[in-house]
Amino acid sequence: MALLLTALPAAAGAQSLLGGLLDKLGGKNASGAIGEAVSALLGKDEVKQNTIVGTWTYDGPAIVFESENIANKLGGKLLSAKGEDMLATQLEKIGMKPGAVKITFNADSTYTCQLGSRTTRGTYEVKDATLSLKKLNFTTLKTNAKVSGSELQLAVEADKILTLVSSLSNLSGSNSMLSTVTNFMKGYDGMQVGVKFKKE
């Protein structure tokens, strides 16, 4: 499935091909979803540290686009829903279910993330629309951040999703469960993958 999807062209003709393919794969309301505007766009506004200080609860995966134009060319609403379903299924296998993960950003630029009995600690930095996470004894991961009221969206390139999950869940090493999702996402320029949180 992933090979078929990543082979689709990211142009106007892809919309009908994608719609037909996902109809066969069981996509919901495929024909009506093509071309719909999506609100899941990459953050472009500066994120202030004081807007993210506090505790946030994981709400689900996010598929985001650089612009509405790109989203519409790719059949954004449908592609986003399908990708999020795939990602949610894989993340749930490692315990990342809505409500199960909490991340607390402290005013001293440290963060703590709790997933079941696993606790991850590190430091963070906010600059423009970039939130950098550095888990203790781990390389720094830069994410695109977007805050909308009580919602926080963190997004990365598809091949960085495992690193993002590791930063949040203390998961180490490779995870073959996410390989299908990564291959699916990498075929689309202008699209990123990530996670959504709600503030407590």
Side-chain angles (χ1 to χ4, degrees):
M1 180 179 72
L3 292 176
L4 287 173
L5 289 174
T6 54
L8 294 176
Q15 294 183 15
S16 59
L17 289 172
L18 183 62
L21 178 59
L22 291 183
D23 269 326
K24 293 176 183 177
L25 294 174
K28 298 177 181 178
N29 302 319
S31 59
I34 296 294
E36 288 185 20
V38 294
S39 58
L41 300 175
L42 284 174
K44 299 190 183 298
D45 297 331
E46 180 181 6
V47 175
K48 300 285 189 182
Q49 182 171 348
N50 62 357
T51 64
I52 67 167
V53 168
T55 299
W56 302 78
T57 301
Y58 173 67
D59 192 43
I63 304 300
V64 299
F65 302 88
E66 289 181 2
S67 69
E68 287 190 12
N69 183 48
I70 290 174
N72 288 332
K73 282 183 179 180
L74 294 178
K77 189 74 172 180
L78 176 60
L79 185 57
S80 179
K82 190 67 178 179
E84 287 178 3
D85 285 347
M86 291 173 62
L87 188 54
T89 297
Q90 300 306 319
L91 292 177
E92 286 180 8
K93 292 178 181 178
I94 59 171
M96 284 192 67
K97 301 177 181 179
V101 183
K102 294 183 185 296
I103 186 168
T104 300
F105 293 102
N106 303 306
D108 64 357
S109 297
T110 62
Y111 79 88
T112 302
C113 190
Q114 188 76 33
L115 170 58
S117 61
R118 291 177 288 186
T119 300
T120 302
R121 292 182 174 85
T123 59
Y124 73 94
E125 179 182 3
V126 182
K127 183 176 182 182
D128 299 324
T130 299
L131 172 63
S132 299
L133 298 171
K134 185 174 184 180
K135 191 171 72 172
L136 297 184
N137 301 317
F138 199 73
T139 56
T140 300
L141 173 68
K142 293 185 177 182
T143 69
N144 175 266
K146 180 179 178 182
V147 177
S148 301
S150 62
E151 295 184 350
L152 171 65
Q153 171 185 286
L154 302 178
V156 293
E157 297 289 344
D159 59 356
K160 298 290 191 302
I161 184 60
L162 182 60
T163 307
L164 176 58
V165 170
S166 177
S167 296
L168 300 174
S169 68
N170 206 22
L171 177 74
S172 61
S174 61
N175 190 327
S176 59
M177 292 187 301
L178 295 174
S179 62
T180 299
V181 179
T182 300
N183 290 334
F184 170 72
M185 305 303 171
K186 284 170 67 175
Y188 298 94
D189 291 332
M191 183 175 74
Q192 293 191 18
V193 60
V195 288
K196 297 175 288 191
F197 292 88
K198 285 189 177 179
K199 198 166 191 177
E200 292 189 349

